[in-house]
Amino acid sequence: METKVISVDKVVDKNESYAQAVTILQEGGVVAFPTETVYGLGAIATDEQAVQRLFEAKGRPSDNPLIVHIGTEEEVTLYAKEIPEQAHTLMEAFWPGPLTLVFDRVPGVIAPNVTPGVSTIGLRIPCHPVALKLLRTLKAPLAAPSANQSGKPSPTRAAHVMKDLEGLIPLVLDGGLTGLGLESTVLDMTTEPPTILRPGGVTEEQLMEVIGAVQTYSTQTVAVDEAPKSPGVKYTHYAPEAPLFVVEPNKEYIEEAIESLKKDDHQVAVIGPEELVISNANWYFNLGSREDKNAMAANLYNALRQCNETTASIILAVETDLGGVGAAFMNRLERAADGNKLD
Ligand code: TXA
Ligand code: MG
């Protein structure tokens, strides 16, 4: 299959570009499109076969539910039942935006393979002009995971989508760089208080300001044989090709570690803030100032992918504190590291 890329930033006849995307989707195909978090790979959420194609293109395990993207708040009642008052407050405050709300699902509307193993549905209105225009032209809900091969870092530019999915999907709408660079926060509204299943673009602090208490879901608190609440949490994610280790932001310690790794014939890539000057790394991927966590978050996935362009045999990634979007940043780093920490 040939993959076409249309630059929706620059083309004059934008409506024509959207018309092509809409036709592909209505015929049961999949289309990659930008959101404010990362690129998504969309299929019409009521079309079981289209959703099946999406799982196949990504190589995604079929037991991991998909977020359903909608264009207007009114649509929530079509797919979700029992919408608590706090959810209305959150939609008012953060939609369109990087917050996915999980509700009990109205049965029989969304294709069953969108929500395998759960009786709930995750909904969000993305805050990106291309995503919104696509959804509002299509007038249908889009099931859309991040548009990467399963397990790889999420795409923050169209080139990342092409790297992973070229030849497997018919169309990428290229809207340039995504803004946030990390995925939406997934918040389970079926618990009291609501539970953060995945930290993301809307921070815990922001949620608490609007609705008070929230709790954070931790795999450690789940018995091994219990089905995870958010099945996505059990899979390796965001992983570059070389093994990745999280390290503390200590220059001397990192430089000593690199010295001994080099003695074992390793080539070392380091991902970290611009303030940390590591003189002996083979590659240093600068995420921006440690004072600017938003920049660090926006650059993380690209840095992980850039490591794959090198011959690094090991990657050291410098940790940040957990304030603000730092919680989402560290969640992704720890997942990419699969628990590896250098200490
Ligand atoms: O920012 C984002 O959320 C991006 C853009 C494209 O919208 N999407 C994204 O989708 O990150 P994906 O499929 O890569 O991650 C969705 C996460 C998974 O961890 C999944 O398990 C969880 O959300 N999830 C989806 N529906 C759920 C549900 N009903 N209950 C619990 N977890 C759910
Ligand atoms: Mg993903």
Side-chain angles (χ1 to χ4, degrees), residues 14-88:
K14 281 196 178 158
N15 286 335
E16 170 59 19
S17 328
Y18 288 97
Q20 287 186 49
V22 166
T23 303
I24 292 171
L25 290 165
Q26 283 172 341
E27 288 173 354
V30 299
V31 171
F33 62 96
T35 80
E36 81 282 27
T37 58
V38 300
Y39 276 76
L41 182 63
I44 292 184
T46 50
D47 181 339
E48 186 167 3
Q49 274 187 10
V51 172
Q52 177 59 27
R53 284 193 190 101
L54 190 159
F55 276 99
E56 280 164 18
K58 267 197 70 127
R60 181 181 177 107
S62 59
D63 64 347
N64 192 3
L66 305 173
I67 293 169
V68 174
H69 298 67
I70 52 178
T72 61
E73 224 172 283
E74 291 74 64
E75 290 165 74
V76 171
T77 51
L78 302 177
Y79 314 117
K81 50 182 190 185
E82 289 158 47
I83 300 154
E85 196 44 47
Q86 283 190 327
H88 290 289

Side-chain angles (χ1 to χ4, degrees), residues 79 92 111 156 162 179-180 198 210 221 239 243 263 283 313 321 337:
Y79 314 117
E92 182 71 23
T156 54
M162 284 300 275
L180 282 162
R198 178 179 71 179
V210 174
T221 60
K263 284 196 186 109
W283 298 271
S313 56
D321 68 84

Side-chain angles (χ1 to χ4, degrees), residues 136-176:
R136 290 172 185 172
T137 312
L138 182 68
K139 294 192 175 60
L142 279 179
S146 48
N148 50 282
Q149 274 296 333
S150 196
K152 296 271 184 286
S154 301
T156 54
R157 45 186 81 182
H160 296 163
V161 179
M162 284 300 275
K163 172 94 184 158
D164 281 15
L165 299 177
E166 184 170 12
L168 298 172
I169 61 173
L171 181 65
V172 181
L173 294 178
D174 181 354

Side-chain angles (χ1 to χ4, degrees), residues 84 86 188-195 211 213-215:
Q86 283 190 327
D188 185 352
M189 298 307 297
T190 69
T191 63
E192 181 68 57
T195 307
I211 56 161
V214 291
Q215 54 188 333

Side-chain angles (χ1 to χ4, degrees), residues 94-302:
F94 299 113
W95 278 10
L99 178 66
T100 296
L101 297 174
V102 173
F103 300 105
D104 283 323
R105 186 174 73 243
V106 173
V109 184
I110 294 292
N113 51 354
V114 173
T115 53
V118 292
S119 58
T120 54
I121 183 162
L123 296 171
R124 89 175 186 101
I125 303 182
C127 185
H128 190 290
V130 175
L132 283 174
K133 169 113 182 175
L134 181 62
L135 285 162
R136 290 172 185 172
T137 312
L138 182 68
K139 294 192 175 60
L142 279 179
S146 48
N148 50 282
Q149 274 296 333
S150 196
K152 296 271 184 286
S154 301
T156 54
R157 45 186 81 182
H160 296 163
V161 179
M162 284 300 275
K163 172 94 184 158
D164 281 15
L165 299 177
E166 184 170 12
L168 298 172
I169 61 173
L171 181 65
V172 181
L173 294 178
D174 181 354
L177 288 179
T178 61
L180 282 162
L182 295 179
E183 299 84 346
S184 63
T185 302
V186 180
L187 186 68
D188 185 352
M189 298 307 297
T190 69
T191 63
E192 181 68 57
T195 307
I196 298 176
L197 298 176
R198 178 179 71 179
V202 172
T203 65
E204 182 176 1
E205 293 88 331
Q206 288 174 307
L207 293 172
M208 287 173 69
E209 229 169 80
V210 174
I211 56 161
V214 291
Q215 54 188 333
T216 297
Y217 178 73
S218 152
T219 40
Q220 271 110 43
T221 60
V222 183
V224 272
D225 54 352
E226 197 178 315
K229 258 242 142 133
S230 192
V233 300
K234 70 179 187 225
Y235 294 107
T236 309
H237 261 78
Y238 320 114
E241 279 151 22
L244 182 143
F245 291 78
V246 174
V247 284
E248 283 168 25
N250 177 331
K251 175 176 157 69
E252 287 72 36
Y253 174 78
I254 294 173
E255 288 179 344
E256 273 170 38
I258 292 175
E259 265 334 290
S260 66
L261 285 165
K262 283 182 167 174
K263 284 196 186 109
D264 290 335
D265 286 333
H266 277 293
Q267 293 194 303
V268 188
V270 180
I271 298 175
E274 73 186 13
E275 287 86 356
L276 200 68
V277 182
I278 302 294
S279 54
N280 59 348
N282 297 96
W283 298 271
Y284 193 83
F285 294 105
N286 168 0
L287 297 178
S289 171
R290 69 160 67 98
E291 307 299 327
D292 185 358
K293 286 216 196 88
N294 291 334
M296 293 187 61
N299 291 324
L300 177 64
Y301 288 144
N302 189 47

